[in-house]
Amino acid sequence: MGQLESQIQNEKMEQMACGDLGFLQTLKAQKLASSMKRWSKIFIRCFRALCCKGPPPARPEYDLVCIGLTGSGKTSLLSKLCSESPDSVVSTTGFSIKAVPFQNAILNVKELGGADNIRKYWSRYYQGSQGVIFVLDSASSEDDLETARNELHSALQHPQLCTLPFLILANHQDKPAARSVQEVKKYFELEPLARGKRWILQPCSLDDMEALKDSFSQLINLLEEKDHEAVRM
């Protein structure tokens, strides 16, 4: 009897061992399948990223008008933003158009000459504008600063421009006679005149392109906000 019981016990142990082995084999197969599935997904993502990448989304384009008196530095600033040689800069007598590229937008800037006999025709070129760049010489004479103030006031109140974002650049900050942004804001009476409008007043010079680019980035943000408002309406 003892021998028979021992044989039965051995058979049971063999059955249990076989069961454990089968369980382990099943578990191992499941882990292998899960790992292969995970690596398959990673491979597909990498393949799509490398081989199936579509073209980047198109950057939005905005049509702007750039105004300011002769000598304010409009042409030099725009040429520098376009990475043009300073030797090729010629003061604008009529108007010129430049496509100024930024990382998140392209600005098609229509620059208008600032001479006395040209300024009276500025309004003919306002139609279709989505924003305004006004450049003033912060180191100019009192007479020229007064003229610039009158022209800015006229633009801010013009029916085709009064609802548009304005970037006002107090240029030539590198000159000793340059007025500060606070002095310009007070002299031009911007707070009461432009209340409720979208406008930015920034100092600038050709020596500080990072600050200039930051000013244009702020303008692009205003243009995008206006776009989103138009979509919601």
Side-chain angles (χ1 to χ4, degrees):
M1 287 289 292
Q3 199 172 14
L4 181 60
E5 288 179 357
S6 177
Q7 185 177 353
I8 293 172
Q9 186 69 24
N10 288 338
E11 288 178 356
K12 286 183 177 179
M13 290 178 67
E14 288 178 2
Q15 290 175 356
M16 290 176 64
C18 289
D20 288 344
L21 182 61
F23 173 75
L24 290 173
Q25 289 176 335
T26 302
L27 184 62
K28 187 176 181 181
Q30 289 176 345
K31 287 184 176 180
L32 180 61
S34 176
S35 178
M36 290 178 65
K37 187 176 182 180
R38 185 172 66 255
W39 281 107
S40 175
K41 289 182 177 178
I42 293 173
F43 173 78
I44 290 172
R45 282 201 299 267
C46 292
F47 178 81
R48 286 176 176 171
L50 293 172
C51 303
C52 303
K53 189 175 181 179
R59 286 177 289 178
E61 296 191 24
Y62 297 100
D63 296 328
L64 309 180
V65 63
C66 179
I67 53 180
L69 304 189
T70 296
S72 60
K74 304 184 299 297
T75 307
S76 296
L77 291 175
L78 294 175
S79 297
K80 191 74 176 286
L81 286 170
C82 292
S83 301
E84 296 177 358
S85 170
D87 298 332
S88 63
V89 174
V90 179
S91 182
T92 303
T93 54
F95 76 93
S96 67
I97 298 177
K98 291 184 185 296
V100 186
F102 290 90
Q103 187 174 4
N104 56 339
I106 296 174
L107 304 182
N108 299 313
V109 182
K110 185 191 303 175
E111 180 200 348
L112 308 183
D116 293 347
N117 60 334
I118 298 294
R119 292 200 301 271
K120 59 185 177 182
Y121 300 112
W122 278 359
S123 59
R124 297 185 180 184
Y125 298 90
Y126 290 166
Q127 188 172 0
S129 298
Q130 296 170 278
V132 183
I133 303 164
F134 189 95
V135 183
L136 63 97
D137 180 3
S138 61
S140 65
S141 66
E142 290 292 333
D143 288 344
D144 283 346
L145 205 64
E146 176 69 19
T147 303
R149 181 176 70 169
N150 293 337
E151 294 294 352
L152 178 58
H153 284 200
S154 177
L156 283 166
Q157 298 176 80
H158 193 278
Q160 290 179 306
L161 304 182
C162 61
T163 62
L164 304 182
F166 270 71
L167 172 60
I168 305 165
L169 295 174
N171 196 18
H172 298 152
Q173 287 291 309
D174 53 327
K175 294 184 177 180
R179 297 162 180 83
S180 69
V181 167
Q182 290 302 321
E183 289 175 315
V184 170
K185 182 187 292 186
K186 183 178 180 180
Y187 184 82
F188 278 66
E189 300 175 316
L190 285 173
E191 291 289 358
L193 180 68
R195 185 177 291 116
K197 301 178 186 294
R198 297 177 177 87
W199 60 277
I200 306 162
L201 171 62
Q202 291 287 92
C204 74
S205 72
L206 288 176
D207 294 336
D208 192 351
M209 290 307 296
E210 288 304 314
L212 181 64
K213 289 178 181 179
D214 181 66
S215 300
F216 274 84
S217 293
Q218 294 182 52
L219 175 61
I220 291 171
N221 289 337
L222 291 183
L223 292 166
E224 290 175 343
E225 287 175 10
K226 188 169 176 60
D227 262 0
H228 294 156
E229 287 180 7
V231 170
R232 286 197 295 268
M233 292 174 64

